[in-house]
């Protein structure tokens, strides 16, 4: 069971590699961060048995990142 979660988390992280460019270290760090988040999503699914929960958390996470990105690139 642990290997399936680890594999799906790494797959989740690798699917987001296109979001990164430049030096290798930030790319690897970003992929690992996304993999950890994928692990959290997997745990949420296992605990609730409802796929909508990690999907909703993923959506909220994306909105928060979007707002933070917007706030740091514009003068509010």
């Amino acid at each position: 069971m642990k290997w399936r979660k680890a594999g799906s988390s790494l797959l989740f992280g690798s699917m987001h590699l296109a979001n990164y460019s430049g030096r290798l270290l930030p790319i690897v760090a970003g992929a690992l961060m996304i993999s950890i988040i994928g692990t959290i999503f997997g745990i949420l699914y296992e605990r609730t048995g409802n796929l909508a929960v990690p999907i909703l958390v993923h959506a909220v996470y994306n909105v928060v990142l979007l707002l933070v990105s917007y706030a740091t690139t514009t003068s509010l």
Side-chain angles (χ1 to χ4, degrees):
M1 187 70 115
K2 289 182 182 182
W3 291 110
R4 286 188 284 186
K5 193 184 314 176
S8 66
S9 297
L10 289 173
L11 180 62
F12 184 80
S14 68
M15 295 303 292
H16 290 78
L17 283 175
N19 298 335
Y20 298 94
S21 62
R23 297 187 328 247
L24 181 62
L25 184 60
I27 293 170
V28 171
L32 287 175
M33 181 187 74
I34 297 293
S35 295
I36 291 168
I37 293 167
T39 301
I40 293 168
F41 293 159
I43 291 168
L44 285 172
Y45 173 71
E46 284 181 348
R47 296 239 172 129
T48 64
N50 187 347
L51 190 57
V53 173
I55 290 172
L56 181 63
V57 172
H58 189 294
V60 170
Y61 177 79
N62 286 347
V63 168
V64 168
L65 287 181
L66 180 68
L67 293 174
V68 168
S69 177
Y70 179 76
T72 59
T73 58
T74 61
S75 56
L76 293 177

Short mmCIF file of all heavy atoms in Angstrom, two decimals:
data_model
loop_
_atom_site.label_atom_id
_atom_site.label_comp_id
_atom_site.label_asym_id
_atom_site.label_seq_id
_atom_site.Cartn_x
_atom_site.Cartn_y
_atom_site.Cartn_z
N MET A 1 0.83 -1.19 0.00
CA MET A 1 0.00 0.00 0.00
C MET A 1 0.87 1.25 0.00
O MET A 1 0.58 2.20 -0.71
CB MET A 1 -0.93 -0.03 1.21
CG MET A 1 -1.94 1.08 1.22
SD MET A 1 -3.19 0.90 -0.03
CE MET A 1 -4.61 0.66 0.95
N LYS A 2 1.94 1.26 0.80
CA LYS A 2 2.82 2.43 0.86
C LYS A 2 3.47 2.70 -0.48
O LYS A 2 3.64 3.85 -0.87
CB LYS A 2 3.89 2.25 1.94
CG LYS A 2 3.36 2.33 3.34
CD LYS A 2 4.48 2.20 4.34
CE LYS A 2 3.93 2.23 5.74
NZ LYS A 2 4.97 2.14 6.75
N TRP A 3 3.86 1.63 -1.20
CA TRP A 3 4.52 1.81 -2.48
C TRP A 3 3.57 2.41 -3.51
O TRP A 3 3.99 3.19 -4.35
CB TRP A 3 5.10 0.50 -2.99
CG TRP A 3 6.26 0.05 -2.14
CD1 TRP A 3 6.29 -1.01 -1.29
CD2 TRP A 3 7.53 0.67 -2.05
NE1 TRP A 3 7.51 -1.08 -0.67
CE2 TRP A 3 8.29 -0.06 -1.13
CE3 TRP A 3 8.11 1.78 -2.65
CZ2 TRP A 3 9.60 0.28 -0.81
CZ3 TRP A 3 9.42 2.12 -2.34
CH2 TRP A 3 10.14 1.37 -1.42
N ARG A 4 2.30 2.04 -3.43
CA ARG A 4 1.33 2.62 -4.37
C ARG A 4 1.16 4.11 -4.11
O ARG A 4 1.08 4.90 -5.05
CB ARG A 4 -0.01 1.91 -4.27
CG ARG A 4 0.01 0.54 -4.92
CD ARG A 4 -1.35 -0.03 -4.96
NE ARG A 4 -1.69 -0.49 -3.61
CZ ARG A 4 -2.78 -1.14 -3.29
NH1 ARG A 4 -3.68 -1.40 -4.21
NH2 ARG A 4 -3.00 -1.53 -2.05
N LYS A 5 1.10 4.48 -2.84
CA LYS A 5 0.96 5.90 -2.50
C LYS A 5 2.20 6.68 -2.93
O LYS A 5 2.09 7.77 -3.49
CB LYS A 5 0.72 6.07 -1.00
CG LYS A 5 0.27 7.46 -0.63
CD LYS A 5 0.13 7.67 0.86
CE LYS A 5 -0.61 6.57 1.55
NZ LYS A 5 -0.68 6.71 2.98
N ALA A 6 3.38 6.10 -2.67
CA ALA A 6 4.63 6.76 -3.07
C ALA A 6 4.71 6.89 -4.58
O ALA A 6 5.08 7.94 -5.12
CB ALA A 6 5.83 5.99 -2.53
N GLY A 7 4.33 5.84 -5.28
CA GLY A 7 4.36 5.88 -6.75
C GLY A 7 3.40 6.90 -7.32
O GLY A 7 3.75 7.65 -8.23
N SER A 8 2.19 6.94 -6.79
CA SER A 8 1.22 7.91 -7.30
C SER A 8 1.64 9.33 -6.94
O SER A 8 1.41 10.26 -7.73
CB SER A 8 -0.18 7.60 -6.79
OG SER A 8 -0.27 7.77 -5.40
N SER A 9 2.27 9.52 -5.80
CA SER A 9 2.74 10.85 -5.41
C SER A 9 3.87 11.31 -6.33
O SER A 9 3.90 12.47 -6.74
CB SER A 9 3.23 10.85 -3.96
OG SER A 9 2.17 10.55 -3.10
N LEU A 10 4.80 10.41 -6.65
CA LEU A 10 5.87 10.76 -7.57
C LEU A 10 5.33 11.04 -8.97
O LEU A 10 5.80 11.95 -9.66
CB LEU A 10 6.92 9.66 -7.61
CG LEU A 10 7.78 9.54 -6.35
CD1 LEU A 10 8.67 8.30 -6.42
CD2 LEU A 10 8.62 10.79 -6.15
N LEU A 11 4.34 10.27 -9.38
CA LEU A 11 3.71 10.52 -10.67
C LEU A 11 3.03 11.89 -10.66
O LEU A 11 3.13 12.66 -11.63
CB LEU A 11 2.70 9.42 -10.98
CG LEU A 11 1.96 9.55 -12.31
CD1 LEU A 11 2.92 9.50 -13.48
CD2 LEU A 11 0.92 8.44 -12.44
N PHE A 12 2.33 12.21 -9.59
CA PHE A 12 1.69 13.51 -9.44
C PHE A 12 2.73 14.63 -9.56
O PHE A 12 2.52 15.62 -10.27
CB PHE A 12 0.97 13.58 -8.09
CG PHE A 12 0.19 14.84 -7.86
CD1 PHE A 12 -1.06 15.01 -8.41
CD2 PHE A 12 0.71 15.85 -7.06
CE1 PHE A 12 -1.79 16.17 -8.19
CE2 PHE A 12 -0.01 17.01 -6.82
CZ PHE A 12 -1.27 17.17 -7.40
N GLY A 13 3.85 14.46 -8.87
CA GLY A 13 4.92 15.46 -8.94
C GLY A 13 5.52 15.58 -10.32
O GLY A 13 5.75 16.69 -10.82
N SER A 14 5.73 14.46 -10.99
CA SER A 14 6.33 14.50 -12.32
C SER A 14 5.39 15.11 -13.35
O SER A 14 5.84 15.73 -14.31
CB SER A 14 6.77 13.09 -12.76
OG SER A 14 5.63 12.27 -12.98
N MET A 15 4.10 14.99 -13.14
CA MET A 15 3.15 15.59 -14.07
C MET A 15 3.18 17.13 -13.99
O MET A 15 2.72 17.80 -14.90
CB MET A 15 1.72 15.10 -13.78
CG MET A 15 1.53 13.62 -14.02
SD MET A 15 1.93 13.09 -15.68
CE MET A 15 0.63 13.87 -16.59
N HIS A 16 3.74 17.67 -12.92
CA HIS A 16 3.83 19.11 -12.75
C HIS A 16 5.21 19.66 -13.11
O HIS A 16 5.47 20.85 -12.92
CB HIS A 16 3.47 19.48 -11.31
CG HIS A 16 2.03 19.30 -10.98
ND1 HIS A 16 1.50 18.06 -10.71
CD2 HIS A 16 1.01 20.18 -10.90
CE1 HIS A 16 0.20 18.20 -10.46
NE2 HIS A 16 -0.12 19.47 -10.57
N LEU A 17 6.10 18.82 -13.63
CA LEU A 17 7.45 19.28 -13.98
C LEU A 17 7.43 20.36 -15.04
O LEU A 17 8.34 21.20 -15.09
CB LEU A 17 8.32 18.10 -14.45
CG LEU A 17 8.85 17.20 -13.35
CD1 LEU A 17 9.59 16.02 -13.96
CD2 LEU A 17 9.77 17.97 -12.42
N ALA A 18 6.43 20.38 -15.90
CA ALA A 18 6.36 21.40 -16.95
C ALA A 18 6.20 22.80 -16.36
O ALA A 18 6.45 23.79 -17.05
CB ALA A 18 5.20 21.09 -17.89
N ASN A 19 5.82 22.90 -15.10
CA ASN A 19 5.66 24.20 -14.45
C ASN A 19 6.99 24.82 -14.06
O ASN A 19 7.03 25.98 -13.64
CB ASN A 19 4.80 24.08 -13.19
CG ASN A 19 3.40 23.61 -13.49
OD1 ASN A 19 2.90 23.80 -14.59
ND2 ASN A 19 2.76 23.00 -12.52
N TYR A 20 8.08 24.07 -14.17
CA TYR A 20 9.38 24.53 -13.72
C TYR A 20 10.36 24.58 -14.89
O TYR A 20 10.31 23.76 -15.79
CB TYR A 20 9.94 23.60 -12.64
CG TYR A 20 9.07 23.54 -11.40
CD1 TYR A 20 8.11 22.55 -11.24
CD2 TYR A 20 9.20 24.50 -10.42
CE1 TYR A 20 7.31 22.51 -10.12
CE2 TYR A 20 8.40 24.47 -9.29
CZ TYR A 20 7.46 23.47 -9.15
OH TYR A 20 6.67 23.44 -8.04
N SER A 21 11.24 25.57 -14.85
CA SER A 21 12.31 25.64 -15.84
C SER A 21 13.52 26.29 -15.17
O SER A 21 13.41 26.87 -14.09
CB SER A 21 11.87 26.47 -17.05
OG SER A 21 11.59 27.79 -16.67
N GLY A 22 14.66 26.16 -15.81
CA GLY A 22 15.87 26.77 -15.26
C GLY A 22 16.81 25.73 -14.69
O GLY A 22 16.98 24.65 -15.24
N ARG A 23 17.37 26.06 -13.54
CA ARG A 23 18.37 25.19 -12.92
C ARG A 23 17.75 23.92 -12.38
O ARG A 23 16.57 23.88 -12.00
CB ARG A 23 19.09 25.95 -11.81
CG ARG A 23 19.86 27.16 -12.33
CD ARG A 23 20.69 27.81 -11.25
NE ARG A 23 20.09 27.71 -9.94
CZ ARG A 23 19.62 28.74 -9.24
NH1 ARG A 23 19.68 29.95 -9.74
NH2 ARG A 23 19.10 28.55 -8.05
N LEU A 24 18.57 22.88 -12.30
CA LEU A 24 18.10 21.55 -11.90
C LEU A 24 17.60 21.51 -10.45
O LEU A 24 16.56 20.91 -10.17
CB LEU A 24 19.21 20.52 -12.10
CG LEU A 24 18.86 19.08 -11.76
CD1 LEU A 24 17.73 18.58 -12.65
CD2 LEU A 24 20.08 18.19 -11.89
N LEU A 25 18.31 22.15 -9.54
CA LEU A 25 17.94 22.07 -8.13
C LEU A 25 16.54 22.62 -7.85
O LEU A 25 15.75 21.94 -7.18
CB LEU A 25 18.98 22.78 -7.25
CG LEU A 25 18.75 22.67 -5.75
CD1 LEU A 25 18.76 21.22 -5.29
CD2 LEU A 25 19.81 23.46 -5.00
N PRO A 26 16.18 23.80 -8.37
CA PRO A 26 14.80 24.25 -8.13
C PRO A 26 13.75 23.34 -8.78
O PRO A 26 12.65 23.18 -8.25
CB PRO A 26 14.77 25.65 -8.76
CG PRO A 26 16.18 26.10 -8.80
CD PRO A 26 16.98 24.85 -8.98
N ILE A 27 14.09 22.74 -9.91
CA ILE A 27 13.15 21.83 -10.56
C ILE A 27 12.91 20.61 -9.69
O ILE A 27 11.77 20.20 -9.45
CB ILE A 27 13.67 21.43 -11.96
CG1 ILE A 27 13.67 22.64 -12.89
CG2 ILE A 27 12.83 20.29 -12.55
CD1 ILE A 27 14.36 22.41 -14.21
N VAL A 28 14.00 20.01 -9.19
CA VAL A 28 13.88 18.83 -8.34
C VAL A 28 13.16 19.18 -7.03
O VAL A 28 12.28 18.45 -6.58
CB VAL A 28 15.27 18.21 -8.05
CG1 VAL A 28 15.20 17.12 -7.00
CG2 VAL A 28 15.87 17.67 -9.34
N ALA A 29 13.50 20.32 -6.44
CA ALA A 29 12.84 20.74 -5.20
C ALA A 29 11.36 20.96 -5.43
O ALA A 29 10.53 20.55 -4.60
CB ALA A 29 13.50 22.02 -4.67
N GLY A 30 11.00 21.57 -6.54
CA GLY A 30 9.58 21.79 -6.85
C GLY A 30 8.84 20.48 -7.05
O GLY A 30 7.72 20.30 -6.56
N ALA A 31 9.47 19.55 -7.77
CA ALA A 31 8.83 18.25 -7.99
C ALA A 31 8.65 17.49 -6.68
O ALA A 31 7.62 16.85 -6.47
CB ALA A 31 9.66 17.42 -8.98
N LEU A 32 9.64 17.57 -5.79
CA LEU A 32 9.51 16.90 -4.49
C LEU A 32 8.42 17.55 -3.65
O LEU A 32 7.64 16.86 -2.99
CB LEU A 32 10.85 16.93 -3.75
CG LEU A 32 11.91 15.99 -4.31
CD1 LEU A 32 13.23 16.19 -3.57
CD2 LEU A 32 11.47 14.55 -4.22
N MET A 33 8.33 18.89 -3.70
CA MET A 33 7.27 19.58 -2.95
C MET A 33 5.90 19.15 -3.45
O MET A 33 5.01 18.83 -2.67
CB MET A 33 7.43 21.09 -3.08
CG MET A 33 6.38 21.87 -2.31
SD MET A 33 6.44 23.63 -2.61
CE MET A 33 5.74 23.70 -4.25
N ILE A 34 5.75 19.11 -4.76
CA ILE A 34 4.47 18.69 -5.35
C ILE A 34 4.19 17.23 -5.01
O ILE A 34 3.05 16.84 -4.77
CB ILE A 34 4.47 18.93 -6.87
CG1 ILE A 34 4.60 20.42 -7.18
CG2 ILE A 34 3.22 18.36 -7.51
CD1 ILE A 34 3.43 21.27 -6.76
N SER A 35 5.22 16.39 -4.97
CA SER A 35 5.04 14.98 -4.59
C SER A 35 4.55 14.86 -3.16
O SER A 35 3.69 14.02 -2.86
CB SER A 35 6.34 14.20 -4.77
OG SER A 35 6.71 14.15 -6.13
N ILE A 36 5.08 15.68 -2.28
CA ILE A 36 4.62 15.67 -0.88
C ILE A 36 3.16 16.10 -0.80
O ILE A 36 2.35 15.50 -0.08
CB ILE A 36 5.52 16.57 -0.01
CG1 ILE A 36 6.90 15.93 0.12
CG2 ILE A 36 4.90 16.82 1.36
CD1 ILE A 36 7.96 16.84 0.70
N ILE A 37 2.81 17.11 -1.57
CA ILE A 37 1.41 17.54 -1.62
C ILE A 37 0.54 16.41 -2.17
O ILE A 37 -0.57 16.17 -1.68
CB ILE A 37 1.28 18.84 -2.44
CG1 ILE A 37 1.97 19.97 -1.70
CG2 ILE A 37 -0.19 19.17 -2.72
CD1 ILE A 37 2.17 21.22 -2.52
N GLY A 38 1.04 15.70 -3.17
CA GLY A 38 0.31 14.54 -3.70
C GLY A 38 0.10 13.47 -2.65
O GLY A 38 -0.95 12.83 -2.61
N THR A 39 1.10 13.28 -1.77
CA THR A 39 0.95 12.33 -0.68
C THR A 39 -0.17 12.77 0.27
O THR A 39 -0.98 11.96 0.71
CB THR A 39 2.27 12.19 0.10
OG1 THR A 39 3.29 11.76 -0.79
CG2 THR A 39 2.14 11.23 1.26
N ILE A 40 -0.21 14.06 0.54
CA ILE A 40 -1.28 14.60 1.40
C ILE A 40 -2.64 14.35 0.76
O ILE A 40 -3.59 13.94 1.42
CB ILE A 40 -1.04 16.08 1.69
CG1 ILE A 40 0.22 16.24 2.55
CG2 ILE A 40 -2.24 16.72 2.37
CD1 ILE A 40 0.73 17.66 2.66
N PHE A 41 -2.74 14.59 -0.55
CA PHE A 41 -4.00 14.34 -1.24
C PHE A 41 -4.38 12.86 -1.16
O PHE A 41 -5.55 12.52 -0.98
CB PHE A 41 -3.92 14.77 -2.70
CG PHE A 41 -3.78 16.26 -2.91
CD1 PHE A 41 -3.27 16.75 -4.08
CD2 PHE A 41 -4.16 17.16 -1.93
CE1 PHE A 41 -3.15 18.11 -4.30
CE2 PHE A 41 -4.04 18.53 -2.12
CZ PHE A 41 -3.53 19.01 -3.32
N GLY A 42 -3.39 11.98 -1.29
CA GLY A 42 -3.65 10.54 -1.17
C GLY A 42 -4.15 10.16 0.21
O GLY A 42 -5.06 9.35 0.36
N ILE A 43 -3.55 10.75 1.23
CA ILE A 43 -3.99 10.49 2.61
C ILE A 43 -5.42 10.99 2.82
O ILE A 43 -6.23 10.31 3.45
CB ILE A 43 -3.02 11.15 3.61
CG1 ILE A 43 -1.66 10.42 3.58
CG2 ILE A 43 -3.59 11.15 5.01
CD1 ILE A 43 -0.55 11.16 4.31
N LEU A 44 -5.72 12.17 2.26
CA LEU A 44 -7.09 12.69 2.36
C LEU A 44 -8.09 11.73 1.73
O LEU A 44 -9.16 11.48 2.28
CB LEU A 44 -7.20 14.06 1.69
CG LEU A 44 -6.59 15.23 2.44
CD1 LEU A 44 -6.60 16.48 1.56
CD2 LEU A 44 -7.34 15.49 3.73
N TYR A 45 -7.72 11.18 0.57
CA TYR A 45 -8.61 10.23 -0.09
C TYR A 45 -8.78 8.96 0.75
O TYR A 45 -9.90 8.46 0.93
CB TYR A 45 -8.11 9.86 -1.48
CG TYR A 45 -8.91 8.77 -2.10
CD1 TYR A 45 -10.22 9.00 -2.52
CD2 TYR A 45 -8.40 7.48 -2.23
CE1 TYR A 45 -10.98 7.99 -3.07
CE2 TYR A 45 -9.15 6.47 -2.78
CZ TYR A 45 -10.44 6.72 -3.19
OH TYR A 45 -11.19 5.72 -3.72
N GLU A 46 -7.67 8.44 1.28
CA GLU A 46 -7.74 7.23 2.10
C GLU A 46 -8.59 7.43 3.35
O GLU A 46 -9.34 6.55 3.75
CB GLU A 46 -6.34 6.77 2.50
CG GLU A 46 -5.58 6.11 1.39
CD GLU A 46 -4.21 5.64 1.84
OE1 GLU A 46 -3.75 6.03 2.94
OE2 GLU A 46 -3.59 4.88 1.08
N ARG A 47 -8.45 8.58 3.97
CA ARG A 47 -9.18 8.83 5.22
C ARG A 47 -10.67 9.05 4.99
O ARG A 47 -11.49 8.68 5.81
CB ARG A 47 -8.59 10.04 5.93
CG ARG A 47 -7.16 9.80 6.37
CD ARG A 47 -7.01 9.95 7.84
NE ARG A 47 -5.69 9.52 8.26
CZ ARG A 47 -4.90 10.24 9.02
NH1 ARG A 47 -5.28 11.42 9.43
NH2 ARG A 47 -3.73 9.77 9.37
N THR A 48 -11.01 9.71 3.86
CA THR A 48 -12.41 10.04 3.62
C THR A 48 -13.10 9.05 2.69
O THR A 48 -14.33 8.92 2.74
CB THR A 48 -12.54 11.45 3.00
OG1 THR A 48 -11.92 11.46 1.70
CG2 THR A 48 -11.93 12.50 3.90
N GLY A 49 -12.34 8.37 1.83
CA GLY A 49 -12.94 7.48 0.84
C GLY A 49 -13.70 8.24 -0.23
O GLY A 49 -14.46 7.65 -1.00
N ASN A 50 -13.49 9.53 -0.30
CA ASN A 50 -14.22 10.38 -1.23
C ASN A 50 -13.21 11.16 -2.08
O ASN A 50 -12.46 11.99 -1.56
CB ASN A 50 -15.11 11.34 -0.44
CG ASN A 50 -16.03 12.15 -1.31
OD1 ASN A 50 -15.88 12.21 -2.52
ND2 ASN A 50 -17.00 12.78 -0.68
N LEU A 51 -13.20 10.91 -3.38
CA LEU A 51 -12.25 11.57 -4.27
C LEU A 51 -12.50 13.07 -4.37
O LEU A 51 -11.59 13.84 -4.68
CB LEU A 51 -12.31 10.93 -5.66
CG LEU A 51 -11.23 11.33 -6.66
CD1 LEU A 51 -9.85 11.04 -6.10
CD2 LEU A 51 -11.45 10.60 -7.97
N ALA A 52 -13.72 13.50 -4.09
CA ALA A 52 -14.03 14.94 -4.15
C ALA A 52 -13.24 15.75 -3.13
O ALA A 52 -12.93 16.92 -3.37
CB ALA A 52 -15.53 15.16 -3.95
N VAL A 53 -12.88 15.14 -2.02
CA VAL A 53 -12.15 15.87 -0.96
C VAL A 53 -10.77 16.32 -1.45
O VAL A 53 -10.46 17.52 -1.40
CB VAL A 53 -12.08 15.05 0.34
CG1 VAL A 53 -11.18 15.73 1.37
CG2 VAL A 53 -13.47 14.82 0.90
N PRO A 54 -9.91 15.41 -1.94
CA PRO A 54 -8.61 15.90 -2.42
C PRO A 54 -8.74 16.81 -3.65
O PRO A 54 -7.93 17.71 -3.82
CB PRO A 54 -7.82 14.63 -2.74
CG PRO A 54 -8.80 13.55 -2.78
CD PRO A 54 -9.97 13.96 -1.96
N ILE A 55 -9.75 16.59 -4.47
CA ILE A 55 -9.95 17.47 -5.62
C ILE A 55 -10.28 18.88 -5.14
O ILE A 55 -9.74 19.87 -5.65
CB ILE A 55 -11.04 16.92 -6.55
CG1 ILE A 55 -10.54 15.66 -7.26
CG2 ILE A 55 -11.49 17.97 -7.56
CD1 ILE A 55 -11.61 14.92 -8.04
N LEU A 56 -11.15 18.99 -4.16
CA LEU A 56 -11.51 20.29 -3.61
C LEU A 56 -10.31 20.96 -2.94
O LEU A 56 -10.07 22.16 -3.13
CB LEU A 56 -12.66 20.14 -2.61
CG LEU A 56 -13.16 21.43 -1.97
CD1 LEU A 56 -13.74 22.37 -3.02
CD2 LEU A 56 -14.21 21.13 -0.92
N VAL A 57 -9.54 20.19 -2.17
CA VAL A 57 -8.35 20.74 -1.51
C VAL A 57 -7.34 21.21 -2.57
O VAL A 57 -6.72 22.27 -2.43
CB VAL A 57 -7.73 19.72 -0.55
CG1 VAL A 57 -6.39 20.21 -0.02
CG2 VAL A 57 -8.68 19.44 0.60
N HIS A 58 -7.19 20.45 -3.66
CA HIS A 58 -6.30 20.84 -4.75
C HIS A 58 -6.77 22.16 -5.36
O HIS A 58 -5.95 23.06 -5.62
CB HIS A 58 -6.29 19.73 -5.81
CG HIS A 58 -5.25 19.90 -6.88
ND1 HIS A 58 -5.28 20.94 -7.78
CD2 HIS A 58 -4.17 19.15 -7.19
CE1 HIS A 58 -4.26 20.81 -8.61
NE2 HIS A 58 -3.56 19.74 -8.28
N ALA A 59 -8.06 22.31 -5.56
CA ALA A 59 -8.60 23.55 -6.13
C ALA A 59 -8.35 24.73 -5.21
O ALA A 59 -7.93 25.81 -5.66
CB ALA A 59 -10.09 23.38 -6.41
N VAL A 60 -8.58 24.54 -3.92
CA VAL A 60 -8.34 25.62 -2.94
C VAL A 60 -6.86 25.98 -2.91
O VAL A 60 -6.48 27.15 -2.91
CB VAL A 60 -8.85 25.22 -1.54
CG1 VAL A 60 -8.38 26.20 -0.47
CG2 VAL A 60 -10.37 25.09 -1.54
N TYR A 61 -5.99 24.97 -2.94
CA TYR A 61 -4.54 25.18 -2.96
C TYR A 61 -4.15 26.01 -4.18
O TYR A 61 -3.37 26.96 -4.07
CB TYR A 61 -3.83 23.82 -2.95
CG TYR A 61 -2.34 23.90 -3.04
CD1 TYR A 61 -1.57 24.20 -1.92
CD2 TYR A 61 -1.68 23.66 -4.25
CE1 TYR A 61 -0.19 24.27 -1.99
CE2 TYR A 61 -0.30 23.73 -4.33
CZ TYR A 61 0.44 24.03 -3.21
OH TYR A 61 1.80 24.10 -3.29
N ASN A 62 -4.71 25.67 -5.36
CA ASN A 62 -4.39 26.41 -6.57
C ASN A 62 -4.87 27.86 -6.48
O ASN A 62 -4.17 28.77 -6.93
CB ASN A 62 -5.01 25.73 -7.79
CG ASN A 62 -4.27 24.47 -8.18
OD1 ASN A 62 -3.18 24.21 -7.72
ND2 ASN A 62 -4.89 23.69 -9.04
N VAL A 63 -6.04 28.09 -5.92
CA VAL A 63 -6.55 29.45 -5.77
C VAL A 63 -5.65 30.26 -4.83
O VAL A 63 -5.33 31.42 -5.11
CB VAL A 63 -8.02 29.45 -5.28
CG1 VAL A 63 -8.46 30.83 -4.84
CG2 VAL A 63 -8.93 28.90 -6.36
N VAL A 64 -5.23 29.65 -3.73
CA VAL A 64 -4.33 30.34 -2.80
C VAL A 64 -3.02 30.70 -3.50
O VAL A 64 -2.53 31.83 -3.39
CB VAL A 64 -4.09 29.49 -1.53
CG1 VAL A 64 -2.94 30.06 -0.70
CG2 VAL A 64 -5.36 29.39 -0.72
N LEU A 65 -2.45 29.77 -4.25
CA LEU A 65 -1.21 30.06 -4.98
C LEU A 65 -1.42 31.17 -6.00
O LEU A 65 -0.55 32.04 -6.18
CB LEU A 65 -0.69 28.81 -5.69
CG LEU A 65 -0.07 27.74 -4.80
CD1 LEU A 65 0.41 26.57 -5.65
CD2 LEU A 65 1.08 28.29 -3.98
N LEU A 66 -2.55 31.16 -6.68
CA LEU A 66 -2.86 32.20 -7.65
C LEU A 66 -2.95 33.56 -6.98
O LEU A 66 -2.39 34.56 -7.46
CB LEU A 66 -4.16 31.88 -8.38
CG LEU A 66 -4.61 32.88 -9.42
CD1 LEU A 66 -3.65 32.89 -10.60
CD2 LEU A 66 -6.01 32.57 -9.88
N LEU A 67 -3.63 33.64 -5.84
CA LEU A 67 -3.77 34.90 -5.12
C LEU A 67 -2.43 35.40 -4.59
O LEU A 67 -2.14 36.60 -4.66
CB LEU A 67 -4.78 34.75 -3.98
CG LEU A 67 -6.22 34.52 -4.40
CD1 LEU A 67 -7.10 34.24 -3.19
CD2 LEU A 67 -6.75 35.69 -5.20
N VAL A 68 -1.62 34.49 -4.07
CA VAL A 68 -0.29 34.88 -3.58
C VAL A 68 0.57 35.37 -4.74
O VAL A 68 1.26 36.40 -4.65
CB VAL A 68 0.40 33.71 -2.84
CG1 VAL A 68 1.87 33.99 -2.60
CG2 VAL A 68 -0.32 33.43 -1.54
N SER A 69 0.52 34.67 -5.86
CA SER A 69 1.28 35.08 -7.04
C SER A 69 0.82 36.45 -7.52
O SER A 69 1.65 37.31 -7.85
CB SER A 69 1.11 34.04 -8.14
OG SER A 69 1.77 34.45 -9.32
N TYR A 70 -0.47 36.67 -7.57
CA TYR A 70 -1.00 37.96 -8.00
C TYR A 70 -0.58 39.07 -7.03
O TYR A 70 -0.16 40.14 -7.46
CB TYR A 70 -2.53 37.89 -8.08
CG TYR A 70 -3.16 39.19 -8.49
CD1 TYR A 70 -3.13 39.60 -9.82
CD2 TYR A 70 -3.77 40.01 -7.55
CE1 TYR A 70 -3.70 40.80 -10.19
CE2 TYR A 70 -4.34 41.21 -7.92
CZ TYR A 70 -4.30 41.61 -9.25
OH TYR A 70 -4.86 42.81 -9.61
N ALA A 71 -0.67 38.80 -5.75
CA ALA A 71 -0.32 39.80 -4.74
C ALA A 71 1.15 40.17 -4.78
O ALA A 71 1.51 41.31 -4.51
CB ALA A 71 -0.72 39.31 -3.35
N THR A 72 2.00 39.22 -5.13
CA THR A 72 3.45 39.51 -5.15
C THR A 72 3.90 40.13 -6.45
O THR A 72 5.00 40.68 -6.51
CB THR A 72 4.27 38.24 -4.88
OG1 THR A 72 3.95 37.25 -5.86
CG2 THR A 72 4.01 37.69 -3.49
N THR A 73 3.07 40.08 -7.49
CA THR A 73 3.48 40.66 -8.77
C THR A 73 2.78 41.97 -9.08
O THR A 73 3.10 42.61 -10.06
CB THR A 73 3.23 39.66 -9.93
OG1 THR A 73 1.86 39.31 -9.94
CG2 THR A 73 4.10 38.44 -9.79
N THR A 74 1.83 42.35 -8.26
CA THR A 74 1.15 43.61 -8.46
C THR A 74 1.25 44.45 -7.20
O THR A 74 1.51 43.93 -6.12
CB THR A 74 -0.35 43.41 -8.80
OG1 THR A 74 -0.98 42.76 -7.71
CG2 THR A 74 -0.52 42.60 -10.07
N SER A 75 1.03 45.71 -7.33
CA SER A 75 1.04 46.56 -6.13
C SER A 75 -0.39 46.72 -5.66
O SER A 75 -1.20 47.40 -6.29
CB SER A 75 1.67 47.92 -6.43
OG SER A 75 0.99 48.53 -7.50
N LEU A 76 -0.72 46.06 -4.58
CA LEU A 76 -2.08 46.10 -4.06
C LEU A 76 -2.32 47.35 -3.31
O LEU A 76 -2.09 47.89 -2.47
CB LEU A 76 -2.38 44.86 -3.20
CG LEU A 76 -2.41 43.57 -3.99
CD1 LEU A 76 -2.62 42.38 -3.05
CD2 LEU A 76 -3.55 43.58 -4.99
#
